[in-house]
Amino acid sequence: MKKIFLLPFVILFTTIFFAQEDIDDLPLEDVVESKIEQPLPTANWESSYKEALNKSKKEKKPVLIYFTGSDWCGPCKVLDKKLFHSEKFKNIADKELILYEADNPRNKDLVEAKRLKETYDLIRKYHVKSYPTLVFVNHRGRMIGYKKGLILTEYYYPFINSVIENY
């Protein structure tokens, strides 16, 4: 009985003892990188749909409308982090796109009332039924591309590039 009682403590002790890694044995880069979180690249998002369309007309670029539920949609959070905060997307967006985020959060205090109304109008106009949804429009608001749901991040780039090339 004593052996059974001591066995968990022996396992726990050996696991703790052998699992420890001395920080002095690690390269300096690993220690520094683990402590300092690098800021994510951020693309430039327009503050209103009307501004996005005006800028689109002026710069002759398509508008990407990103429909999201920022505080409740898990796939939206993944897409936001892995696509929209990547250096690759930022480079494409800065050169080729006008961006507008249509956020429909559960906590309505996260978005000002005017912008929330604008989001609801866009949801009806483009028949958005699920999140995340990407809608590409021209400077007149006519839809030129549509993709809904979350897929692997790398699969978005050919779609985005085809919209840009056909614009």
Side-chain angles (χ1 to χ4, degrees):
M1 183 69 176
K2 289 182 182 179
K3 289 181 183 178
I4 294 173
F5 183 70
L6 288 175
L7 185 61
F9 289 111
V10 171
I11 292 172
L12 180 64
F13 176 75
T14 56
T15 304
I16 291 171
F17 181 74
F18 290 111
Q20 299 300 315
E21 188 172 345
D22 191 3
I23 199 164
D24 294 332
D25 295 338
L26 292 173
L28 181 59
E29 306 87 48
D30 292 347
V31 175
V32 172
E33 286 179 19
S34 67
K35 300 293 183 201
I36 300 172
E37 188 149 326
Q38 301 297 322
L40 296 172
T42 304
N44 298 317
W45 296 82
E46 296 303 314
S47 59
S48 79
Y49 180 62
K50 187 176 180 178
E51 285 179 28
L53 292 179
N54 289 337
K55 193 170 179 181
S56 170
K57 184 176 183 178
K58 188 170 92 174
E59 297 183 17
K60 297 179 176 38
K61 297 178 183 177
V63 177
L64 165 58
I65 307 170
Y66 169 46
F67 290 91
T68 181
S70 64
D71 67 341
W72 61 269
C73 175
C76 298
K77 292 176 184 180
V78 171
L79 184 64
D80 188 56
K81 183 176 181 181
K82 292 191 174 190
L83 179 68
F84 297 128
H85 284 93
S86 71
E87 193 66 42
K88 184 175 180 178
F89 178 81
K90 183 181 179 333
N91 291 337
I92 292 170
D94 287 348
K95 294 175 191 165
E96 307 289 343
L97 297 170
I98 306 300
L99 305 174
Y100 178 73
E101 181 180 72
D103 190 9
N104 185 14
R106 281 205 179 116
N107 179 0
K108 303 304 180 198
D109 294 337
L110 295 175
V111 179
E112 60 188 55
K114 181 181 173 185
R115 186 144 180 189
L116 201 53
K117 183 190 178 315
E118 191 172 61
T119 295
Y120 291 150
D121 292 343
L122 293 172
I123 288 170
R124 280 190 295 281
K125 180 176 181 173
Y126 297 113
H127 307 287
V128 174
K129 304 228 185 302
S130 63
Y131 297 94
T133 296
L134 305 180
V135 175
F136 286 87
V137 299
N138 65 12
H139 69 277
R140 293 185 178 173
R142 192 178 128 251
M143 188 185 320
I144 57 175
Y146 187 93
K147 184 158 297 285
K148 65 181 182 174
L150 177 66
I151 56 175
L152 289 174
T153 306
E154 286 303 312
Y155 292 157
Y156 284 99
Y157 293 110
F159 168 65
I160 292 169
N161 288 330
S162 72
V163 170
I164 292 168
E165 289 171 10
N166 294 321
Y167 185 69

